[in-house]
Amino acid sequence: MAEYGKPERDRPWIMRTYSGHSTATASNELYRTNLAKGQTGLSVAFDLPTQTGYDPDSALARGEVGKVGVPVSHIGDMRALFDGLPLDQMNTSMTINATAVWLLSLYIATAEDQGVDHHVLRGTTQNDIIKEYLSRGTHIFPPAASMRLITDLITYTVDEVPKWNPINICSYHLQEAGATPTQELAYALATAIGVLDAVKATGRVPDEEFGKVVARMSFFVNAGIRFVEELCKMRAFVELWDRVTRERYGVTDAKQRRFRYGIQVNSLGLTEQQPENNMIRIVLEMLAVTLSKDARARAIQLPAWNEALGLPRPWDQQWSLRAQQILAYETDLLEYDDLFNGSAVVEAKTQQLVDSAWAEVQEVLKRGGAVQGVETGYIKQKLVESNAARLRAIEAGEQVVVGVNKYVEGAPSPLTENLDEAILTVDPEVDARQRAALARWKESRDDAAVDAALAEIERVARTDENLMSASIAAAHAGVTTGEWANTLRQVWGEYRAPTGVAGASVKASRSGAAAEKIAGLRKRLDALESQMGRRAKLLVGKPGLDGHSNGAEQIAIKARDVGFDVVYEGIRVSPEQIVASALEEGVHLIGLSILSGSHLALVPEVVQRLRDAGLGDIPVVAGGIIPEADAERLRAEGVAAVYTPKDFELDNIMSDLIDLVDRQHAAE
């Protein structure tokens, strides 16, 4: 039997699709299917409760269980997830951050149950909490405590799981949050420096062995549609990483300094309009990280063409896998040395990115480093501003997106004739079944062993000992994800990261027509203020556990720009908190942003709670990846309007919002 994730003849990279949904059993079946189709590694997507340290029976997990990934609440779930898959032969990537120590502990405990020595395990834990504060929002603890967990995992694996990549410095999500290539390079490298400095500060790794830590550092990068620039960005990454590891950390072994990265190509640029175009985008973006041999990705996972519509089906994932296989095995890509060595164009662009990125790295270090850059909001504000500039350019037609703001007319796509069948829908009963399964698990375990394991977790957390061994013991004892995380919450507390919205500076539009449109919107709001006696106030809320805040941030900035008073408190706000804020702030309108698929559970709950509080006259609008059938249901529940990624013209959305406030005021 061939080992998964081990190169065969001429295999250039590990081929993955990012997958997991519903239950551990259903995801195991999906993994078996994908491996049978030629996938050579696993990339596990966990659901939001698992990522943020909640069990399915938590009130905060309502509507989120199994939606964007697989729920893993305890070792029983991990056993089911990898049932029949020999962990000594797998190469498993786990996109997990705040709870990375816990999920790796469950993985190790499961391997030990299989009789596998954990020293032979191969794979990756993402374990990059810095970008969670900036983009994905699945952080739990304050930055210092989070860095403690990161260093515990790294220093444990360096000897105990030496083939494991204990961290993926993840610039992918920085680009998804709006980062330019310069910012993606700079903030990823600043994060890596922060992590390596923290590892060195533990004193657990002798200086002469520090190269072993550097050698296991890996990166997870994004590749957008600007082909040449993205290719040069990867060459710049290679050069800059060599500089950092050689000059700052004194690593002399060139092999240990090698820039090792995996890639998922851009999801930000996937379009709901003419979604069949997405496959062309995906292939071009894949070429940017494979053509340059000296900067080629070691692992690739591709999104599916329909991810702007909802969860991809197995066939959609197969299509993305086949794209990789065709490039790897049908073309002559592997037969040549680097095609771009000596290219004046590539060398000049690469040098420009090296210089600009290194200057921004120095700016972050001058401000105290990546952690300080998070706490002050400096990096987040820079990303929010870049994303606002990107959206403004698309809206003004300065950045062309085919099928969105140019060449919008076309024949209907047969791929989307029946939208209800074009995506995978998670059974809404998964939530209840997982809660019931969790209750059975708790009834069957040894409570005394669980209590002792949790007491040990708390004790170790209050010291500078490594938490990994206590966490592995807790996994064997049957402790749950929520119990592990809640124990640490009691020690360290939770953290709300800066939103970057308040201080974000948005340049005025260069286009005369666009400037006139904004002036018209401001004039309408001025008139409304005269009628109502105060400024129209919009509450932007993100209920549930979804931390992808880009859309909410841009709506908040645009609304402020045109003249609304805006209330935005960031991610993970409960329906109860949203209603309380609406009452306290006296808002005229509420906008809810949900991208995790939990809109049918959470949006109607907010609407009903508003009615119960006597605020049923406040219009509610919703935005996210919402299929039309779901949008109809939301409108039937009383939602005034539903917006999806196809509604990219923010000025038009602002006009709609002003109309809603105007109509409501007239009715009153």
Side-chain angles (χ1 to χ4, degrees):
M1 179 179 181
E3 289 192 30
Y4 300 108
K6 283 280 193 175
E8 295 174 356
R9 184 176 63 86
D10 292 336
R11 177 183 291 161
W13 53 77
I14 299 169
M15 298 184 184
R16 296 180 172 129
T17 54
Y18 180 52
S19 54
H21 64 84
S22 302
T23 66
T25 300
S27 298
N28 174 263
E29 182 178 344
L30 177 63
Y31 295 164
R32 289 169 178 263
T33 299
N34 287 347
L35 289 167
K37 291 175 181 175
Q39 186 172 301
T40 56
L42 294 178
S43 181
V44 181
F46 296 99
D47 73 353
L48 287 173
T50 304
Q51 293 187 54
T52 53
Y54 294 104
D55 288 331
D57 58 0
S58 168
L60 289 170
R62 182 171 180 267
E64 306 280 16
V65 178
K67 281 289 195 311
V68 300
V70 56
V72 175
S73 301
H74 46 72
I75 193 172
D77 287 339
M78 191 65 94
R79 290 169 185 152
L81 186 63
F82 292 102
D83 182 44
L85 300 176
L87 296 189
D88 57 341
Q89 298 177 34
M90 304 304 300
N91 191 308
T92 304
S93 172
M94 295 192 283
T95 302
I96 198 70
N97 296 280
T99 54
V101 162
W102 177 241
L103 269 296
L104 180 58
S105 296
L106 288 172
Y107 191 81
I108 289 172
T110 300
E112 290 173 347
D113 286 351
Q114 286 187 2
V116 172
D117 181 353
H118 62 253
H119 291 83
V120 306
L121 296 176
R122 287 177 296 112
T124 303
T125 33
Q126 195 165 93
N127 196 30
D128 171 12
I129 204 66
I130 297 297
K131 64 91 177 50
E132 295 300 318
Y133 298 123
L134 301 171
S135 55
R136 289 182 76 244
T138 69
H139 54 276
I140 303 172
F141 312 111
S146 295
M147 289 296 282
R148 149 78 184 276
L149 289 171
I150 288 173
T151 57
D152 279 0
L153 194 153
I154 291 172
T155 56
Y156 175 84
T157 57
V158 70
D159 289 320
E160 291 298 316
V161 199
K163 298 180 181 180
W164 195 264
N165 301 316
I167 189 167
N168 248 170
I169 303 298
C170 191
S171 72
Y172 172 86
H173 294 97
L174 299 179
Q175 187 177 135
E176 296 290 300
T180 64
T182 291
Q183 290 171 332
E184 185 180 349
L185 284 161
Y187 301 149
L189 290 166
T191 296
I193 290 169
V195 168
L196 286 173
D197 284 357
V199 170
K200 187 172 278 290
T202 66
R204 296 174 186 165
V205 182
D207 288 346
E208 63 273 15
E209 295 186 20
F210 199 73
K212 291 165 60 178
V213 174
V214 172
R216 298 316 301 175
M217 298 282 284
S218 63
F219 289 74
F220 187 67
V221 187
N222 205 327
I225 195 63
R226 289 177 58 79
F227 176 86
V228 175
E229 189 171 42
E230 294 295 318
L231 185 150
C232 293
K233 180 187 74 181
M234 300 319 308
R235 293 171 71 93
F237 252 134
V238 170
E239 182 175 333
L240 285 167
W241 183 240
D242 189 76
R243 179 189 298 182
V244 167
T245 54
R246 185 181 65 253
E247 296 179 2
R248 188 178 183 93
Y249 300 108
V251 179
T252 57
D253 186 338
K255 186 177 180 181
Q256 291 180 331
R257 296 199 310 267
R258 183 182 301 157
F259 182 74
R260 300 180 311 116
Y261 78 99
I263 191 93
Q264 174 162 318
V265 305
N266 192 274
S267 295
L268 184 67
L270 299 179
T271 63
E272 181 181 1
Q273 306 95 312
Q274 300 181 14
E276 63 276 8
N277 296 344
N278 291 332
M279 203 63 206
I280 300 162
R281 296 182 176 106
I282 288 165
V283 170
L284 285 171
E285 290 162 353
M286 176 174 55
L287 283 170
V289 297
T290 53
L291 279 182
S292 180
K293 183 178 180 182
D294 293 347
R296 183 171 294 155
R298 294 170 65 93
I300 297 175
Q301 58 190 47
L302 303 180
W305 68 279
N306 56 348
E307 286 190 24
L309 307 176
L311 284 175
R313 303 156 300 183
W315 181 86
D316 308 315
Q317 293 186 341
Q318 175 182 293
W319 195 6
S320 291
L321 176 62
R322 293 294 183 252
Q324 290 199 58
Q325 292 168 328
I326 290 167
L327 181 67
Y329 299 121
E330 291 191 28
T331 76
D332 57 354
L333 176 70
L334 303 178
E335 297 173 15
Y336 300 95
D337 290 331
D338 198 293
L339 306 178
F340 301 98
N341 287 339
S343 164
V345 171
V346 168
E347 288 179 0
K349 183 62 180 177
T350 299
Q351 190 59 48
Q352 182 236 315
L353 288 170
V354 165
D355 294 343
S356 61
W358 192 244
E360 184 62 14
V361 169
Q362 298 310 307
E363 179 65 26
V364 174
L365 294 179
K366 184 178 75 176
R367 291 170 176 268
V371 170
Q372 189 72 9
V374 166
E375 293 176 333
T376 62
Y378 169 76
I379 299 177
K380 180 65 173 178
Q381 182 176 314
K382 288 291 187 182
L383 295 177
V384 169
E385 290 173 348
S386 294
N387 203 23
R390 180 188 68 86
L391 289 173
R392 188 176 61 249
I394 294 172
E395 190 170 7
E398 298 163 4
Q399 179 176 329
V400 172
V401 182
V402 173
V404 173
N405 62 3
K406 197 166 186 177
Y407 310 117
V408 296
E409 299 299 327
S413 170
L415 293 174
T416 56
E417 283 180 349
N418 187 339
L419 282 175
D420 290 340
E421 295 181 1
I423 57 174
L424 177 70
T425 302
V426 175
D427 185 349
E429 293 303 313
V430 163
D431 213 318
R433 288 199 293 268
Q434 286 297 111
R435 287 197 300 272
L438 179 64
R440 291 192 298 272
W441 175 263
K442 289 182 176 179
E443 289 173 359
S444 67
R445 64 187 185 175
D446 183 339
D447 289 341
V450 168
D451 291 343
L454 290 173
E456 179 66 1
I457 292 287
E458 181 176 356
R459 184 197 69 77
V460 174
R462 296 185 186 279
T463 72
D464 60 359
E465 297 175 33
N466 195 311
L467 267 164
M468 279 298 302
S469 294
S471 295
I472 294 169
H476 279 299
V479 165
T480 69
T481 297
E483 291 167 340
W484 180 88
N486 286 337
T487 300
L488 296 182
R489 284 185 177 99
Q490 292 169 15
V491 178
W492 296 327
E494 290 192 85
Y495 183 74
R496 293 191 67 79
T499 67
V501 169
S505 174
V506 182
K507 294 179 182 177
S509 175
R510 292 176 293 174
S511 166
E516 288 177 14
K517 195 167 189 179
I518 289 176
L521 294 170
R522 288 173 178 162
K523 187 175 180 180
R524 290 177 61 194
L525 280 168
D526 289 342
L528 260 178
E529 182 177 9
S530 297
Q531 297 170 24
M532 297 191 304
R534 65 189 183 95
R535 204 70 176 163
K537 185 175 284 190
L538 166 67
L539 170 62
V540 179
K542 283 197 63 63
L545 299 178
D546 168 36
H548 287 87
S549 56
N550 301 341
E553 291 157 2
Q554 296 307 316
I555 289 290
I557 288 174
K558 175 61 77 169
R560 184 189 67 193
D561 190 35
V562 303
F564 276 100
D565 277 348
V566 177
V567 179
Y568 175 58
E569 299 174 349
I571 63 171
R572 260 185 271 167
V573 184
S574 70
E576 298 97 316
Q577 290 171 316
I578 289 172
V579 173
S581 292
L583 184 62
E584 181 181 346
E585 296 283 350
V587 304
H588 300 97
L589 181 65
I590 297 174
L592 303 178
S593 170
I594 303 176
L595 282 84
S596 64
S598 59
H599 45 267
L600 288 180
L602 294 174
V603 174
E605 182 179 349
V606 172
V607 171
Q608 186 57 53
R609 286 181 178 274
L610 286 168
R611 290 170 181 157
D612 294 343
L615 302 175
D617 57 340
I618 298 177
V620 175
V621 302
I625 300 176
I626 303 174
E628 180 54 33
D630 290 359
E632 290 178 7
R633 289 179 60 183
L634 292 177
R635 287 189 284 263
E637 294 271 3
V639 174
V642 177
Y643 298 97
T644 68
K646 71 177 183 299
D647 302 301
F648 68 95
E649 295 177 307
L650 299 187
D651 288 342
N652 290 345
I653 294 176
M654 293 301 115
S655 181
D656 293 347
L657 299 186
I658 295 171
D659 286 343
L660 285 171
V661 177
D662 197 0
R663 285 199 298 269
Q664 184 59 37
H665 174 66
E668 292 172 352

